[in-house]
Amino acid sequence: MAERDAAHAAGHHTAPHPGADPVVPGTATVVSLHGEIDLPAVLALSDRLDDLTAHAHPALVLDLRSVDFIDCAGLGALCRVRNRILARRGRLLLVTESRGFHGLLRATGLGGVFEVVAGLPRPLHGPGPCGPGATPPG
């Protein structure tokens, strides 16, 4: 599988956890990332995120709790996947408890751009605007 080969080649860089395909609780796909989200990781991860956001109303949860480092390429990838999801009227959640990540978002002017939560959410009840209790467009 090309994705796993790319993840293996990235070594300590971010990739879905080995042997685990994304899990779907309710209607959201959860992808757990770990290590570093830098240029080599983004190259390995971008195709998978594109696949997961190719359909209408994608609901994606990126679990960043095991991410140690993110650079400008990683932030760019998060912005790109966010834009793809919003263009398809979907929903993106980032899961992290990292004060450093929150600070990075504020320092780069992205503080209010992403919906960031501390833990994995209960099953999403459908895609829609980012926000707690959001319901699908009517």
Side-chain angles (χ1 to χ4, degrees), residues 35-118:
E36 298 178 358
I37 303 178
D38 55 8
L39 185 58
V42 167
L43 295 174
L45 188 60
S46 290
D47 288 342
R48 182 63 177 145
L49 294 178
D50 285 351
D51 288 344
L52 293 172
T53 59
H55 59 282
H57 308 290
L60 182 63
V61 176
L62 296 179
D63 185 353
L64 306 176
R65 292 177 294 179
S66 295
V67 170
D68 302 319
F69 173 79
I70 185 166
D71 69 4
C72 60
L75 285 177
L78 293 178
C79 289
R80 182 173 182 273
V81 74
R82 174 196 172 270
N83 292 342
R84 284 177 57 85
I85 288 172
L86 291 180
R88 290 165 174 79
R89 299 185 63 162
R91 184 175 183 194
L92 172 66
L93 293 176
L94 303 181
V95 180
T96 185
E97 298 171 356
S98 169
R99 289 183 185 182
F101 182 74
H102 285 279
L104 178 64
L105 290 179
R106 282 191 304 276
T108 56
L110 298 172
V113 171
F114 294 98
E115 183 177 1
V116 182
V117 296

